[in-house]
Amino acid sequence: MHEYFDANDYTKVLFRKKYYDQVEGIVGKQENLIGLHIRRTDHEVAISSSPTKAFEKIISTLLKENGNIYFFLATDDLKEQEYLLNQYPKNIIVQQNKVWGRRSKESMESGIVDFLCLSKCSCIYGSHTSVFSHMAAEIGKIELYIVRNSESKDRQ
């Protein structure tokens, strides 16, 4: 008899130990860690509906409330990462040896590590219409907040 996977229950998805080991080295047991998933490159809806300025507003607000919080940033855009690291150098954590892109095995593995790091955060602020944010929140059983600008008229 076969056991079938419920496509809506991502908590049963398993990953290789080597990915969890990498996650441990990046976020470890970091307390006060909030996930940021900023989807860019080819996702026009995410870019227009969840702009960088909206993420910056959230980061600034949360830092004013508690200066001892950290953010794990998962993004598919190196320039976005560099910009936010410049703005918040003491509070942003990233995957240091990330391989960028989507076509190589190594870049896909980097995506898995980002995904699992997000799932270890206390909550995620994610990009509009991005399944990546939703799945990471489901796996981690954590709250997901979709970041949207006030002009955005798209539905989630």
Side-chain angles (χ1 to χ4, degrees), residues 95-123:
Q95 184 181 166
Q96 292 297 319
N97 299 315
K98 184 173 185 170
V99 177
W100 298 90
R102 292 199 179 118
R103 296 181 190 250
S104 71
K105 176 183 175 189
E106 293 81 10
S107 63
M108 288 183 226
E109 290 178 328
S110 285
I112 291 169
V113 172
D114 270 356
F115 173 81
L116 291 173
C117 284
L118 282 175
S119 77
K120 299 294 183 191
C121 295
S122 59
C123 67

Side-chain angles (χ1 to χ4, degrees), residues 17-79:
K17 183 181 181 314
K18 71 176 186 176
Y19 301 126
Y20 290 107
D21 290 344
Q22 290 177 44
V23 169
E24 185 68 25
I26 297 166
V27 296
K29 303 272 188 251
Q30 180 69 50
E31 293 183 26
N32 300 322
L33 185 63
I34 295 171
L36 302 173
H37 175 235
I38 304 180
R39 177 73 194 272
R40 293 293 176 256
T41 63
D42 64 342
H43 199 305
E44 292 179 25
V45 174
I47 295 167
S48 64
S49 297
S50 301
T52 304
K53 291 291 179 202
F55 279 95
E56 285 184 281
K57 185 176 180 181
I58 289 166
I59 293 168
S60 294
T61 299
L62 292 172
L63 284 172
K64 283 179 187 168
E65 293 172 7
N66 179 0
N68 291 324
I69 60 170
Y70 298 90
F71 301 91
F72 175 77
L73 173 62
T75 184
D76 58 348
D77 187 337
L78 177 59
K79 289 180 183 176

